[in-house]
Amino acid sequence: MNEVLSNLSGCIRMQLEAWPEVRKSFEALDAVRTKVLSSSGLTLQFNPARIGSTTAAISREAIRKRKCFLCAESRRQEQISFDLGDGYELLVNPYPILKEHFTVTSRTHRRQSLSDCYGKMLSIAGVLPSEYIIFYNGPRSGASAPDHLHLQIGLSAGIPLVDKLKSNILPEKALFTIEPFGYPVTIMRHTTPESFKAYYNTLAILDDEYEPRLNVMAMNLNGEVICVFIPRGKHRPDCYYATDSSKRLVSPGAIDMFGLVITPREEDFNTLTEDDVLKIYKEVTPREPLLNVGIMQSQHIRFSLDTPYSDGRNIYEGENEVSVNNGRIIWQGESYGELSLQPAYSKGKFTLHDVTIGRDFHWERNEDQSFSGSLKFVIDGDSLWAVNTLPVEDYLTSVISSEMNPSAPKEFLKAHAVISRSWVLAQLSASRSKKDADRSETAESNCITTPDRIIKWYDHDQHTLFDVCADDHCQRYQGLTRIDNPNAVLAVHDTHAETLVYDGHLCDARFSKCCGGISEQFETCWQDRHEEYLTPVRDASFTDKAIPDLTNEAEAEQWIRATPPSFCSKPSENILKKVLNGYDRETTGFYRWKVQYSAEELSELFARKSGIRIGRITAMEPVRRGPSGRIFELRIKGTEGCVAIGKELEIRRVLSESHLYSSAFVVDTEKDSEGNILTFTLTGAGWGHGVGLCQIGAAVMGSNGYGYREILSHYYPGTTLGKFY
C-alpha cells in the first residue's frame, strides 16, 4: 500500500498511457473554468464531464437495474487496478474533478458503509503525502455508487476547506466545530480508529437507513491525521429537481461541501451566486428543524397579537378573531384558503383564547395560552386549526414546563429534555422517510376490526395538517404560559441537540406519568413492533430481583393488589409539589387505585363510549397482558353479545368518562343473593401507558441525586446519547 500511495503521480501516468479516452478527461481539466464567489473562498467549477455523476439515478430500482461500474467484471479492459491490501484496490477516476483523482474500492461488491471502511481510510490518510486528501460520500450524501463500498483520493489544491485548515492555526481541542460556509463542520485532531468510532456512534441514523448521512475527509497535516465530518440532511436540494428556470443541476458530494461546487451546466456556472450556494448548503445540511404544532381546533377562534405580526401585506396587532364559512377562512373581512401570520420583529408573541388542555381526560379545562413564533390557520372540514410554527428547541422549553413543573430537579428536567427532543425528532424523521421519493408509501392502519374484536391504537401519525398536536395525545405544549422558571430553559440549553440513540438509530422515546412499578413494552400500546430500548424495567434501584411475569394472570393479580417498593411508589408531597403542575396535583393515589361502577353504570358507559351494544355487562376477562400487567386485549361479555377490545388506551377510554389511570387492573364483582352482579370494582396500578420513562419515578431519581444520564440509561437500557443536528 505504501509503495502505491507514495507514487500516485506515477499511477496516473501509467493509467493515462493505457487509456487515451481518460487521458482526454484529465487534459480537459486544464480547460475547466473556476471562479471564486466570496471572500470565504467559495468556488465554482464548470466541469461538463461530470454530467453523468451529477445526474446519476440513485433510486433503489435504478441501482438494481444497472451494472456496477466499480466491480471488476464491469470495468473497461484499459482500467488498471493497483493493490492497496486488505481487500481494497486503487483505480484512477475516469471522470475527474481534481488534477489527480482516484477511487479506492472494495474488491467485493458490498454496500457503501463508513463503519466498514473508516479503519482503511485512516490508515491511508496516515501515509498519504500531505498534498492529497481521502474522502467519503455517504450512500445518501453524494455517492453515485451507493451499492459498492468505495473512498476517493485527490490532490487538495484549490479545495477551499483544505486551504483554510492548512493556513490557520487549529485549536488544541481534540474535537471542535467551525462554520466556513454557513454550516457546521466538525474537525477531529490526532484521529485514531477509537476516537473516530466514538464520535461516529454519537450520530443518529434516520429510519430505514443504516448509517448517518455524512461526508467525511481525512488528511495528513503536519504529521497528524485530521478528520473532517459534515453531517448531511438531504442528498439533493429542491432546485436540482425544478422544471423551470429555477433549476440548478447541483448534486452536492464531499468536494462540493468542501467549498468547490461542481456545475456540469454552463448556465449554472454563469448564474449561481454566493447566496444561491449558501442556500443549497443550508438545505442539505441538518439544522434545528422548525415544527408545526396544532394548538386548538374550532369553528371560531379568538386570539390576540401581542406584538406586531404581518400577513405579507400589512402589520396587525391586538385582539382578533377568525372563523370558517363554506370552506374558507374569514378574517378582517376577507376570505382565505389558508392564513399565515409571521412576527414582524424578533420571535413575536400571540395569545390564543379558550385553548382546551387535557382533552377527554379528567383534568380537561380551557385556558388562555401565549406563544412565540408564527401563527397559521388551516381548514379541517367545517372547522379551523390554529397552528404554531417554531424551532424545536423553543418548543422543548415549553414542553418541559408543560409536562412537568419547571421547579422539578434539574437532572430530571435534563433527562426529560432529551427524551422529548428524541420523541419529536423521531416523529419528524418518520414523516420525512415516508415522503422520501425513493421509498414506496404504505399506509399503516391503526385499527384491526372483526365482528367480535376491535383492536385500536392512537399515535401522532394520525395528524396530517401539522407535525404534532399540543396535548397529551402527543406531548404537552402550552407555549410561554408555563415557562415561569429558568430551570426548563437551562435544561434544554444544557442538553442542546442531544438525543437518545440505540444501535445508531434515533430513539422514539416514549414516557408516561407513573409506570406502577414496572415499565411497559412498545407493542402493548401501539403497533406490533418491538423496540429493544422500550422494554420492561423494574422501577427501583435494585436490579438483582427478577421481574415477575405479569403476562401471567395470577402473578399480575398478585402484583397489582400489592404495593411493591419502587421509585414511583412513594414520592413525598414535597417532590410532587415540585414536579407536578397544578392540575396534575388534583390526581392522587395513582400508584395503586380503585374505581367502582354499578353494573348499570358500567354497561351504559361502555355502550356510549364504544358504540357497541352487548347488553348488560356480565364479565370482563383479560385476554392478553403486557409485562407491566397492562391489559392490551380485554374480553367484555354481556347479555346480548361479547366483544374483545384493545389496545391499552382504547380499554381505558371505553371504561371511563375520561380515561382510566391505566389498563393494569384486576376486576372484582359484588353479587346479590341470586347471583346477579351489582358492582364492578377495578383495582389498578400506575397512571398512563407505562412505556419508557416513568415521570414520577424519574423525578424521585433526580431528587435522590441521580444524574440525567443515569436516569436515561435506567429507563432506556442499551441507549447512548447522540446528536441529530
Side-chain angles (χ1 to χ4, degrees):
M1 180 181 80
N2 291 16
E3 184 178 347
V4 172
L5 296 176
S6 64
N7 188 30
L8 289 171
S9 296
C11 294
I12 285 276
R13 287 194 300 271
M14 187 183 305
Q15 178 63 88
L16 299 190
E17 288 173 3
W19 197 352
E21 186 179 343
V22 173
R23 182 169 67 247
K24 290 179 181 178
S25 297
F26 277 85
E27 289 171 351
L29 287 177
D30 293 331
V32 160
R33 289 151 53 197
T34 62
K35 66 178 177 181
V36 178
L37 292 180
S38 69
S39 58
S40 66
L42 194 61
T43 302
L44 292 184
Q45 181 193 91
F46 171 43
N47 190 339
R50 292 293 295 182
I51 190 71
S53 296
T54 302
T55 59
I58 53 173
S59 68
R60 292 174 182 171
E61 181 65 15
I63 290 170
R64 187 182 65 80
K65 287 181 177 179
R66 67 152 171 79
K67 289 183 178 180
C68 175
F69 51 82
L70 292 179
C71 283
E73 58 269 21
S74 303
R75 296 182 208 147
R76 290 276 295 270
Q77 263 188 331
E78 298 93 332
Q79 193 160 23
I80 300 171
S81 164
F82 302 91
D83 184 34
L84 292 178
D86 304 318
Y88 290 88
E89 54 191 334
L90 182 77
L91 307 173
V92 172
N93 193 318
Y95 305 105
I97 298 171
L98 309 170
K99 293 291 186 181
E100 293 186 18
H101 195 166
F102 304 88
T103 302
V104 176
T105 183
S106 167
R107 289 188 181 276
T108 58
H109 185 77
R110 49 187 173 137
R111 68 185 183 181
Q112 184 78 326
S113 171
L114 185 58
S115 61
D116 288 347
C117 68
Y118 72 85
K120 188 65 176 179
M121 182 181 192
L122 296 181
S123 66
I124 289 174
V127 297
L128 264 183
S130 60
E131 64 267 27
Y132 293 91
I133 58 170
I134 182 168
F135 55 96
Y136 173 87
N137 285 317
R140 298 196 59 78
S141 305
S144 55
D147 55 329
H148 195 118
L149 181 61
H150 68 284
L151 301 154
Q152 296 180 68
I153 291 175
L155 280 173
S156 63
I159 299 178
L161 179 57
V162 179
D163 293 342
K164 286 180 179 294
L165 293 176
K166 287 185 175 181
S167 61
N168 288 283
I169 299 175
L170 302 182
E172 291 300 324
K173 296 179 181 179
L175 200 68
F176 59 93
T177 300
I178 61 174
E179 289 203 12
F181 310 116
Y183 61 87
V185 175
T186 299
I187 313 294
M188 179 180 289
R189 297 194 60 176
H190 303 287
T191 312
T192 64
E194 293 73 25
S195 63
F196 188 105
K197 183 178 180 181
Y199 175 74
Y200 177 82
N201 286 341
T202 68
L203 303 173
I205 303 171
L206 295 178
D207 286 355
D208 297 330
E209 297 186 18
Y210 59 86
E211 75 169 23
R213 295 188 175 188
L214 277 176
N215 297 120
V216 184
M217 174 178 69
M219 59 188 292
N220 189 332
L221 185 60
N222 301 322
E224 66 169 302
V225 174
I226 301 290
C227 241
V228 174
F229 300 88
I230 299 178
R232 291 288 296 274
K234 295 170 67 173
H235 192 157
R236 287 166 168 165
D238 290 342
C239 64
Y240 178 93
Y241 301 101
T243 56
D244 56 18
S245 60
S246 66
K247 184 177 183 66
R248 298 290 183 269
L249 206 59
V250 175
S251 180
I255 295 297
D256 304 82
M257 301 306 296
F258 301 157
L260 180 61
V261 180
I262 312 304
T263 58
R265 299 195 315 173
E266 189 169 15
E267 57 262 44
D268 297 331
F269 178 77
N270 291 334
T271 58
L272 274 171
T273 66
E274 178 187 10
D275 286 344
D276 293 332
V277 174
L278 294 179
K279 183 180 178 181
I280 289 172
Y281 282 157
K282 184 175 182 179
E283 191 177 345
V284 301
T285 52
R287 295 271 168 168
E288 178 185 347
L290 289 176
L291 192 62
N292 295 302
V293 187
I295 307 296
M296 64 181 297
Q297 182 182 27
S298 180
Q299 292 182 323
H300 180 92
I301 297 176
R302 295 186 304 113
F303 65 100
S304 170
L305 300 175
D306 304 323
T307 61
Y309 274 71
S310 172
D311 65 352
R313 298 176 299 174
N314 300 302
I315 301 292
Y316 301 91
E317 199 168 358
E319 291 293 333
N320 283 266
E321 56 185 60
V322 292
S323 59
V324 61
N325 185 31
N326 292 326
R328 301 285 291 176
I329 298 169
I330 308 301
W331 180 62
Q332 297 280 344
E334 295 192 42
S335 169
Y336 301 83
E338 181 176 298
L339 175 62
S340 180
L341 300 173
Q342 305 293 328
Y345 316 106
S346 188
K347 293 182 178 181
K349 180 187 174 187
F350 64 89
T351 298
L352 294 172
H353 300 301
D354 297 320
V355 178
T356 301
I357 65 171
R359 184 176 295 277
D360 296 331
F361 286 91
H362 54 275
W363 60 87
E364 179 178 324
R365 66 201 64 197
N366 287 354
E367 62 181 29
D368 293 350
Q369 293 183 350
S370 297
F371 303 87
S372 65
S374 302
L375 173 61
K376 180 169 62 175
F377 295 98
V378 294
I379 294 171
D380 185 10
D382 60 355
S383 65
L384 293 168
W385 270 100
V387 179
N388 180 202
T389 302
L390 75 168
V392 163
E393 297 293 314
D394 289 352
Y395 162 81
L396 288 170
T397 303
S398 173
V399 167
I400 305 314
S401 304
S402 305
E403 282 286 347
M404 307 302 284
N405 193 312
S407 64
K410 182 179 178 181
E411 293 300 303
F412 163 64
L413 292 177
K414 288 165 68 175
H416 216 306
V418 172
I419 62 172
S420 290
R421 183 183 294 110
S422 302
W423 179 84
V424 77
L425 291 176
Q427 313 319 310
L428 289 180
S429 173
S431 298
R432 182 172 4 175
S433 293
K434 287 180 181 179
K435 293 174 183 177
D436 194 307
D438 292 336
R439 295 181 179 87
S440 60
E441 295 188 20
T442 55
E444 185 174 24
S445 172
N446 70 322
C447 188
I448 301 170
T449 304
T450 63
D452 59 353
R453 186 169 179 259
I454 299 174
I455 306 298
K456 188 175 184 179
W457 59 91
Y458 302 82
D459 217 340
H460 99 287
D461 56 9
Q462 294 167 255
H463 299 313
T464 58
L465 298 176
F466 41 82
D467 299 315
V468 293
C469 72
D471 210 10
D472 294 76
H473 178 263
C474 290
Q475 53 185 0
R476 291 179 185 171
Y477 167 68
Q478 294 164 1
L480 304 173
T481 310
R482 300 279 181 257
I483 306 174
D484 57 4
N485 186 307
N487 286 353
V489 178
L490 289 172
V492 173
H493 176 271
D494 290 349
T495 63
H496 180 80
E498 283 188 346
T499 57
L500 273 184
V501 173
Y502 183 85
D503 193 24
H505 287 266
L506 182 66
C507 291
D508 182 357
R510 305 292 170 118
F511 55 89
S512 69
K513 198 65 73 183
C514 174
C515 68
I518 296 174
S519 64
E520 190 50 80
Q521 63 187 8
F522 179 89
E523 54 265 47
T524 296
C525 306
W526 296 286
Q527 298 92 328
D528 292 330
R529 183 181 81 232
H530 186 66
E531 299 288 2
E532 288 292 340
Y533 55 89
L534 295 176
T535 51
V537 170
R538 180 73 174 89
D539 193 32
S541 56
F542 52 86
T543 57
D544 56 334
K545 194 170 182 178
I547 295 178
D549 180 10
L550 302 191
T551 64
N552 175 277
E553 194 60 32
E555 291 203 44
E557 180 167 356
Q558 183 179 356
W559 172 265
I560 291 169
R561 293 189 188 279
T563 53
S566 304
F567 286 129
C568 59
S569 62
K570 293 182 179 179
S572 68
E573 186 59 35
N574 184 49
I575 289 177
L576 291 179
K577 186 176 180 181
K578 284 184 176 180
V579 302
L580 295 180
N581 285 314
Y583 48 85
D584 281 334
R585 291 203 299 275
E586 298 169 9
T587 302
T588 58
F590 45 77
Y591 186 67
R592 292 294 183 270
W593 48 266
K594 286 182 185 291
V595 175
Q596 187 176 81
Y597 298 106
S598 69
E600 291 79 7
E601 284 176 328
L602 186 62
S603 300
E604 187 278 331
L605 174 66
F606 175 76
R608 175 162 45 86
K609 294 297 291 288
S610 69
I612 301 170
R613 305 293 173 180
I614 58 171
R616 181 186 174 94
I617 293 177
T618 58
M620 293 194 292
E621 302 170 348
V623 178
R624 294 186 293 169
R625 289 185 186 267
S628 75
R630 283 167 170 78
I631 303 168
F632 64 103
E633 187 168 351
L634 177 70
R635 183 180 294 111
I636 302 177
K637 296 181 177 179
T639 55
E640 299 173 16
C642 175
V643 66
I645 295 289
K647 288 188 175 184
E648 177 269 346
L649 186 58
E650 185 70 356
I651 293 169
R652 293 165 59 197
R653 189 186 71 82
V654 300
L655 296 181
S656 171
E657 289 292 353
S658 56
H659 290 76
L660 284 178
Y661 282 178
S662 86
S663 68
F665 61 82
V666 293
V667 181
D668 295 303
T669 58
E670 179 188 359
K671 299 180 180 179
D672 62 17
S673 58
E674 297 179 0
N676 299 311
I677 296 177
L678 298 176
T679 63
F680 288 90
T681 299
L682 279 56
T683 301
W687 178 8
H689 54 67
V691 178
L693 180 135
C694 170
Q695 290 174 312
I696 300 299
V700 171
M701 290 182 73
S703 298
N704 290 345
Y706 288 87
Y708 81 104
R709 292 171 183 266
E710 293 176 287
I711 294 172
L712 293 171
S713 63
H714 172 70
Y715 289 106
Y716 306 95
T719 61
T720 57
L721 286 177
K723 291 204 172 185
F724 191 79
Y725 50 84

